[in-house]
Amino acid sequence: MSRKIRLGAFLPGGGQHVAAWRHPGSPSDGATNLAFHIELAKTAEKGLFDAYFLADGLSAGFAGGREGGSAKAAGFEPVTLFAALSAHTKRLGFIATASTTYEEPYQLARKFASLDLVTGGRAGWNVVTSTGDETARNFSRDTQLPHAERYARAREHVDVVRQLWDSWEDDAFLRDKESGQFFDRDRVHEINYEGEYFKVRGPLNTPRPPQGHPVVVQAGASEDGRDLAAATAEVIFTAHQNLSSAQEFYRDIKARAAAKGRDPREILVMPGVAPFIGRTLGEAQAKYDRLTSLILPEEGLALLNGLAGGTLDLTGYPLDGPLPPQDVTEGNKSRQVLIREIADRHGFTIRQLYQYVATARGHLTLIGTPKTIVDTLEEWFTSDAADGFNILPPWLPAGLEDFVGLIVPELQRRGLFRTEYEGRTLRENLGLARPENPWTRARSALAAE
Amino acid sequence: MSRKIRLGAFLPGGGQHVAAWRHPGSPSDGATNLAFHIELAKTAEKGLFDAYFLADGLSAGFAGGREGGSAKAAGFEPVTLFAALSAHTKRLGFIATASTTYEEPYQLARKFASLDLVTGGRAGWNVVTSTGDETARNFSRDTQLPHAERYARAREHVDVVRQLWDSWEDDAFLRDKESGQFFDRDRVHEINYEGEYFKVRGPLNTPRPPQGHPVVVQAGASEDGRDLAAATAEVIFTAHQNLSSAQEFYRDIKARAAAKGRDPREILVMPGVAPFIGRTLGEAQAKYDRLTSLILPEEGLALLNGLAGGTLDLTGYPLDGPLPPQDVTEGNKSRQVLIREIADRHGFTIRQLYQYVATARGHLTLIGTPKTIVDTLEEWFTSDAADGFNILPPWLPAGLEDFVGLIVPELQRRGLFRTEYEGRTLRENLGLARPENPWTRARSALAAE
């Protein structure tokens, strides 16, 4: 079987673009409208996407935002939402974001194990460390943990969660009505984890998930982030503006994974892409211009500042002038550098910069016909820049419908994408192996001696 | 409208009774079988139950249990499960248990707000403090917090959660595409909570739930527990073996609530009832004997010990002899006393005691015909002992089907129970008022001056 492109879809009901909710074709209450999310999930499944992906934060995100402008200030908790959506779909995966800094591993492990059970093996966990003091202040802290500590904690957290998922062996349940043995006590294990941040006995009170482990996803771009991703992630979500940057990242991640003794093919690198699709280039450009015109200037400035972690206050500078020079400071360094790179490369004014960034917050924006867009996706896919893509439709539902109706058939025509789901679980569809249970492996090894 | 009986249903897929999974009519994998839970939810809705209720723990519960005997060691996380079940029902409420000791209020508040959104206002939160060192050891502690501290923390926790639910006013969302105002910044509020255990700024990043607050449920029996329930609960789940004990509790809770300035009618007292229902008394008794015969002796002893918090090891005592005398010790005092009262009142041997207790872990067991069982329910309901009942079908699905097919029609015939759902939300069906938002109230008061 030839290698196929993997596709995730970022579908926050309020739309990805900062002005998406103002689009005449979008429901203004999409962010909190269950029926609309059900419709999106069904469309994504019709388009044979691997997974529905949702980012998540643990604050209303007012810091740096325009007062009262954001459609993302309030929405669903993703695992609860996905459990509800799963009843309306059969094959689509669900990748939910959850925090290693503000959730206990025992709770997180069982929540995702439950989602995996409820969906019949379609769950994924996007591991985040949750930045920002605004979030910390919702959790009895004044400031967030330092970057390095957040990542060290994340590393332990993922370890604990994985060990908890393995605490029941797959064949632990006997359910023998005759003898009264419900499970084999020798096939369920305390994990007795003792680390710097966590001390967890186990076992989990949820069976081993259908997938063994829900698919582990990561999006770190910093050194610590890349290291965590290479060590733990099976899917990596990443933002690149051009092929060479994506290739550098792809090579780096695969090399880091190999250095840790992992098979690089077991780590899928999936850059984000925000597409504006038209039957003609003019139609695509018109869609871009239409959406872009809906951004209020104060919203655009707040967006740039928010992306840069509050280090880029452009209030007072002429919107149609250049980005003023400024030193890169601590906090969201990689995002600050990315923003300046975009401005420099395109020679953008401040207005053009926020218009550009607003479409996908630093991800690759493609404005074109099915042919030109698929040309780019194919080039990235076949030249060691991507194993697939996370699609961020700028507004909904039309941005997703355009992709399913126009891009998917072209990908299929070129043999780059599936024409039906290969498997029942997210892992099967992504072509990722089901993790072996270490307890079972140890027993088998012993028996073979 | 005359006062009606409220009904909750405890439907753990593995069955309530310790030997339920061994019953020939029960699926042995019910505890982790989604399709079976969907079937139970649909049956409960057909029976017009107010809510599907699930208890929850944060450990596999091995301490004190028979090795490998328990069908309850592993199951679903309730909120995730309920979100999935909600798609298959329209009016049934869902009361999920969650812990004030091991969950952060911000996470808990948004999880239940999301469940309320996803279900269209059918969520309830059963507040528990999660006892036991086995649980503590899954959360980086060696021993559990002392009883009083758990309850003091619970009191604060519920306060924080309620304030977070109120942090967005109901009319905060403008969603005005023209002006670009998505919400009114003056109608969303930081809560700036600073207590002994929590410091939470807010606002929540989920809208105010459809019900204002999901229904708050409690089951405390201790002094601290009753006090917490009287202060915070809208539904109280409780265990009583006889009318006078239930009446004493009912009077006490309503008086405590009144003393706190609450309307006692806004607190529904719902004792647990485990019914064995037959068209004749003989048929009912045969059902009881059938299920009871499936309890293995070591399971029965482990159950008694577990109920008493590990203070009652009866290994070695003759099963057909009396309960040996023993002092009541610290830990689960109210349960220890309850167990001895049952033994004394019925003159039970050890075997009879565990058989009796196994059916409902201290809740009232009724073995009878629709007439005799409804006689008892009516007596309790009309003599200040109960506003409704939590039904614990000893085994599933037949125990639930018997109730829906035989008891519900008899309750309806006597005018004691609804013939169709009165409302769309759990709160409406329970006849509980939607909580006012204090910010909105303050604004209205100001405007009226």
Side-chain angles (χ1 to χ4, degrees), chain A residues 189-420:
Chain A
H189 308 274
E190 292 179 358
I191 68 167
N192 291 310
Y193 189 95
E194 292 203 28
E196 197 180 336
Y197 300 94
F198 302 107
K199 188 170 155 195
V200 178
R201 178 172 292 189
L204 197 60
N205 58 353
T206 300
R208 192 161 196 253
Q211 294 184 100
H213 301 174
V215 175
V216 175
V217 181
Q218 242 274 296
S222 66
E223 269 300 306
D224 286 339
R226 287 184 187 210
D227 226 52
L228 178 66
T232 65
E234 300 172 282
V235 171
I236 296 176
F237 179 44
T238 177
H240 299 282
Q241 286 292 318
N242 58 67
L243 181 64
S244 63
S245 157
Q247 286 173 323
E248 182 280 319
F249 181 81
Y250 189 95
R251 271 194 301 269
D252 180 57
I253 285 289
K254 301 263 174 171
R256 285 179 198 239
K260 290 177 195 296
R262 301 182 64 197
D263 180 346
R265 286 169 306 184
E266 292 274 320
I267 304 177
L268 305 172
V269 177
M270 296 173 63
V273 172
F276 290 83
I277 310 153
R279 282 175 182 78
T280 64
L281 191 56
E283 190 183 290
Q285 187 65 45
K287 287 182 181 178
Y288 177 81
D289 293 342
R290 175 79 184 268
L291 189 58
T292 291
S293 72
L294 297 172
I295 310 171
L296 297 171
E298 61 269 39
E299 186 90 63
L301 298 184
L303 175 73
L304 290 175
N305 197 20
L307 264 181
T311 64
L312 189 65
D313 184 0
L314 296 170
T315 317
Y317 290 93
L319 290 182
D320 297 313
L323 195 63
Q326 192 188 28
D327 291 337
V328 169
T329 56
E330 280 305 314
N332 283 314
K333 261 188 193 171
S334 54
R335 286 287 182 168
Q336 291 180 55
V337 170
L338 186 69
I339 290 168
R340 295 209 161 256
E341 275 175 8
I342 296 169
D344 292 348
R345 185 152 50 83
H346 296 273
F348 280 156
T349 63
I350 291 175
R351 188 195 308 272
Q352 287 167 331
L353 179 63
Y354 74 61
Q355 287 181 341
Y356 185 85
V357 167
T359 59
R361 303 171 67 88
H363 292 282
L364 180 68
T365 298
L366 296 177
I367 303 168
T369 63
K371 184 188 175 312
T372 67
I373 288 174
V374 173
D375 284 350
T376 302
L377 300 183
E378 182 168 14
E379 184 186 18
W380 285 43
F381 179 62
T382 56
S383 56
D384 287 348
D387 296 308
F389 301 92
N390 277 304
I391 306 305
L392 302 100
W395 80 111
L396 293 168
L400 175 65
E401 288 164 355
D402 283 352
F403 194 92
V404 170
L406 298 169
I407 301 294
V408 166
E410 179 62 19
L411 287 169
Q412 289 170 329
R413 204 185 56 74
R414 300 193 196 182
L416 294 168
F417 189 59
R418 64 168 64 94
T419 52
E420 58 182 45

Side-chain angles (χ1 to χ4, degrees), chain A residues 22-23 26 56-57 66 68 75 77 103 107 110 114 137-138 140 142 177-178 180 182 199 201-202 205, chain B residues 22-23 26 56-57 66 68 74-75 77 103 107 110 114 137-138 140 142 177 180 182 199 201-202 205:
Chain A
R22 297 184 66 203
H23 195 284
S26 294
D56 192 44
R66 182 174 65 85
E77 189 282 316
E103 289 202 54
Q107 290 279 24
R110 71 194 292 254
S114 293
R137 288 193 280 261
N138 290 331
S140 302
D142 294 321
K177 289 190 177 190
E178 193 55 40
F182 191 76
K199 188 170 155 195
R201 178 172 292 189
N205 58 353
Chain B
R22 297 184 66 203
H23 194 283
S26 294
D56 192 44
R66 182 173 65 86
E77 188 281 315
E103 289 202 53
Q107 290 279 24
R110 70 194 293 253
S114 293
R137 288 193 281 261
N138 290 329
S140 300
D142 294 321
K177 289 191 179 191
F182 192 76
K199 188 170 153 194
R201 179 172 293 191
N205 59 355

Side-chain angles (χ1 to χ4, degrees), chain B residues 122-155:
Chain B
R122 297 188 277 143
W125 170 29
N126 180 36
V127 179
V128 296
T129 65
S130 305
T131 56
D133 295 340
E134 189 184 351
T135 302
R137 288 193 281 261
N138 290 329
F139 292 88
S140 300
R141 294 185 55 91
D142 294 321
T143 54
Q144 66 176 334
L145 293 175
H147 190 272
E149 199 176 333
R150 282 207 315 280
Y151 276 86
R153 187 184 147 104
R155 191 72 159 270

Side-chain angles (χ1 to χ4, degrees), chain B residues 239-272:
Chain B
H240 298 281
Q241 285 292 318
N242 59 67
L243 180 64
S244 62
S245 156
Q247 286 173 322
E248 181 280 320
F249 181 81
Y250 189 95
R251 269 194 303 268
D252 180 55
I253 285 289
K254 301 262 175 173
R256 285 179 197 241
K260 288 177 199 295
R262 300 182 63 198
D263 179 345
R265 285 167 305 181
E266 291 275 319
I267 303 177
L268 304 172
V269 177
M270 295 172 65

Side-chain angles (χ1 to χ4, degrees), chain B residues 283-352:
Chain B
E283 190 184 289
Q285 187 65 44
K287 288 180 180 179
Y288 177 81
D289 293 342
R290 176 78 184 268
L291 188 60
T292 292
S293 73
L294 297 171
I295 309 170
L296 297 171
E298 60 269 40
E299 188 90 64
L301 298 185
L303 175 74
L304 290 176
N305 197 19
L307 265 182
T311 63
L312 189 65
D313 183 0
L314 296 170
T315 318
Y317 290 93
L319 292 181
D320 298 312
L323 194 64
Q326 192 188 27
D327 290 339
V328 170
T329 57
E330 279 306 313
N332 283 313
K333 261 189 193 171
S334 54
R335 287 288 183 167
Q336 291 180 56
V337 170
L338 186 68
I339 290 168
R340 295 211 162 255
E341 276 176 8
I342 296 169
D344 291 350
R345 185 153 47 88
H346 296 273
F348 278 154
T349 64
I350 291 175
R351 187 194 309 271
Q352 287 167 329

